[in-house]
Amino acid sequence: MSTPTALDHGTSSVRDAVYRRITLRLIPFIFVCYLFNYLDRVNVGFAKLQMLDALKFSETIYGLGAGIFFIGYVLCGLPSNLALTRFGPRRWIAVMMLAWGGLSTCLLFVTTPMEFYVLRLLTGAAEAGFFPGIVLYLSQWFPNARRGRIMALFMSAIPVSGLLGSPFSGWILNHFAVGQHGLAAWQWMFLIQGIPTMVLGALAYFLLSDSFAKATWLTSEQRHVVESDLAEDARNKPAQQRDSLGAVFATPLIWVLGLIYFCIQSGVYAINFWLPSIIKNLGFSDALVIGWLSAIPYLLAGVFMLLVGRSADLRNERRWHLVVPMLMGAAGLVIAVNFAATPAIAIVGLSIATMGALTGLPMFWPLPTARLSAGVAAGGLAIINSVGQMAGFLSPYIVGFIKDQTGSTDAALYALAGLIVVGSAVAWKVAGKRA
């Protein structure tokens, strides 16, 4: 048994210093990895601006290709997360990033719908364990009281990927518009944005530590602080959860949380995959201008996400900090639809939708990590994430299908806004006043 030290009972500033050290060591690299993970997932939205005409794809083909990614993602989420616990985070994260980076780069060779579908399916399978694995990984380093801020820091990579990636993608499409070395602009985009992911995958093996217990850059006293805080969290979790794979599927809370996450992600993916096209339909044609305008909602979402994450931890309150952003996401989509003829107001609506939907993501994850026991956490988090990611298939496909049938995305965005409201009602009931 570890011998108590002065650090065990030290001031909050000393304890803060321990977690500040861990944060500075882990979060910047994980942030960059997730930035490229998300950029890789949504850059097809910008490729669409030229790819459809070049390959003669319909909106429905694009919507199916964008969404089929999540079939592979959902099918492989649980086994991939279990593999992460079997082989260790740094090894498995490295393997996943090398695989999806290579597959995403290969999208530049697509010429037929079937090739598009197959590569998107395989890329989704390769990425499946990354996000739930990182959520599990961070929950093994930070106690629940600190996870709101940590998840906000980590997941701020989503709006940053839009903030940086949208103008960058627009620049690529403009700069390589005439084609160079036999590649079209959309092909250059997949190449330029895919290779760094493979480099980061190789670095993950050397830069990450499998656990705080194996982190040689922490002192024994610092490791004891983390150990005691996580042990306290474990004592506060429900005792009735059985630690087995069967218990994962038999735990109702896991499926309810998956439903909430599905509703959040429905709004997120509607924005991610269709924001460039929606802005183009407002009357903007230049790819670089579309990129800069797409960056505005992501910039505001990044700032809002960090502020809400800090507020949630300081107040130790989860319900309002989750439900209010979700309702903002729904309201923003409705505003964007109703003021499509007024670009300035429509972009304000899209900004509100992006701020709300993206902030709902990090505010959601402290709930399952606080309430699931260690034995069901790996499988439970993977299932919750997989259920939520099914929205990534349904949302873009439904939007694309409805647009092909009606010539407008309005009805689809109304439906998605309604789904987010339903999710917020369930979240209100589940979250409670304290998590």
Side-chain angles (χ1 to χ4, degrees):
M1 182 177 294
S2 301
T3 303
T5 68
L7 189 56
D8 298 330
H9 307 287
T11 64
S12 60
S13 62
V14 173
R15 195 169 233 91
D16 288 345
V18 173
Y19 290 107
R20 188 180 306 113
R21 179 174 177 81
I22 296 173
T23 300
L24 291 175
R25 179 64 184 245
L26 297 181
I27 297 302
F29 180 72
I30 291 175
F31 173 92
V32 173
C33 291
Y34 193 45
L35 189 153
F36 277 92
N37 173 254
Y38 219 81
L39 183 62
D40 167 76
R41 193 179 306 179
V42 301
N43 60 8
V44 71
F46 264 93
K48 172 183 179 288
L49 298 177
Q50 296 181 1
M51 187 179 183
L52 266 62
D53 288 338
L55 301 180
K56 309 303 180 186
F57 287 179
S58 69
E59 296 283 352
T60 302
I61 290 174
Y62 166 75
L64 179 58
I68 205 170
F69 169 99
F70 297 96
I71 300 297
Y73 194 105
V74 168
L75 291 176
C76 295
L78 178 57
S80 185
N81 222 35
L82 296 177
L84 182 141
T85 62
R86 170 66 177 83
F87 298 108
R90 66 191 184 98
R91 290 182 181 86
W92 195 246
I93 289 171
V95 168
M96 286 189 291
M97 296 189 71
L98 288 168
W100 94 60
L103 288 165
S104 180
T105 302
C106 286
L107 281 168
L108 68 90
F109 299 114
V110 163
T111 58
T112 68
M114 185 55 65
E115 291 172 353
F116 184 44
Y117 299 155
V118 170
L119 275 175
R120 290 287 295 172
L121 180 71
L122 294 176
T123 304
E127 290 189 26
F130 180 77
F131 178 77
I134 293 294
V135 172
L136 178 64
Y137 183 63
L138 294 177
S139 73
Q140 296 169 347
W141 289 81
F142 296 92
N144 187 57
R146 297 177 184 269
R147 286 179 200 157
R149 279 169 287 185
I150 291 302
M151 289 304 300
L153 281 172
F154 161 51
M155 298 189 73
S156 62
I158 299 176
V160 171
S161 72
L163 176 63
L164 300 180
S166 295
F168 184 49
S169 296
W171 176 83
I172 292 174
L173 293 180
N174 271 7
H175 183 74
F176 294 97
V178 296
Q180 295 185 27
H181 303 288
L183 298 179
W186 63 269
Q187 293 174 306
W188 275 107
M189 191 177 72
F190 286 126
L191 179 65
I192 292 172
Q193 295 178 356
I195 290 177
T197 298
M198 301 175 70
V199 174
L200 288 167
L203 290 175
Y205 181 82
F206 299 100
L207 296 182
L208 295 178
S209 300
D210 279 330
S211 68
F212 71 86
K214 297 180 179 179
T216 57
W217 42 271
L218 290 176
T219 67
S220 59
E221 292 83 4
Q222 291 170 333
R223 287 194 290 270
H224 186 75
V225 167
V226 179
E227 182 182 19
S228 62
D229 285 352
L230 294 179
E232 180 64 25
D233 271 0
R235 285 191 288 271
N236 293 329
K237 288 184 178 181
Q240 68 271 20
Q241 290 178 354
R242 293 170 293 142
D243 294 350
S244 70
L245 187 58
V248 172
F249 289 98
T251 303
L253 177 62
I254 289 175
W255 300 101
V256 174
L257 290 169
L259 171 63
I260 297 170
Y261 197 52
F262 176 89
C263 295
I264 298 172
Q265 289 285 29
S266 294
V268 170
Y269 284 117
I271 293 167
N272 287 339
F273 285 120
W274 291 94
L275 182 60
S277 297
I278 292 171
I279 290 178
K280 181 179 181 180
N281 291 337
L282 293 177
F284 302 96
S285 58
D286 184 88
L288 185 57
V289 172
I290 294 172
W292 281 112
L293 290 175
S294 298
I296 295 172
Y298 288 113
L299 172 62
L300 296 174
V303 175
F304 187 65
M305 183 183 290
L306 294 175
L307 291 175
V308 173
R310 186 173 187 274
S311 172
D313 280 355
L314 289 176
R315 291 167 174 79
N316 192 26
E317 199 284 327
R318 303 299 179 196
R319 175 189 268 182
W320 284 105
H321 287 83
L322 172 59
V323 171
V324 170
M326 290 179 69
L327 293 176
M328 285 176 59
L333 289 177
V334 172
I335 292 171
V337 171
N338 280 279
F339 290 92
T342 310
I345 299 179
I347 290 174
V348 169
L350 289 171
S351 297
I352 294 172
T354 306
M355 292 166 65
L358 293 189
T359 300
L361 295 176
M363 292 303 96
F364 167 80
W365 283 105
L367 291 177
T369 56
R371 298 189 178 189
L372 299 180
S373 65
V376 302
L381 294 178
I383 289 177
I384 292 167
N385 186 59
S386 294
V387 171
Q389 296 300 342
M390 289 173 65
F393 171 74
L394 293 174
S395 179
Y397 180 69
I398 288 172
V399 173
F401 177 78
I402 291 177
K403 185 176 181 183
D404 273 345
Q405 299 302 312
T406 67
S408 170
T409 59
D410 291 2
L413 295 180
Y414 275 129
L416 293 173
L419 186 60
I420 297 171
V421 172
V422 171
S424 68
V426 179
W428 175 264
K429 182 175 179 62
V430 171
K433 294 183 179 179
R434 300 275 179 177

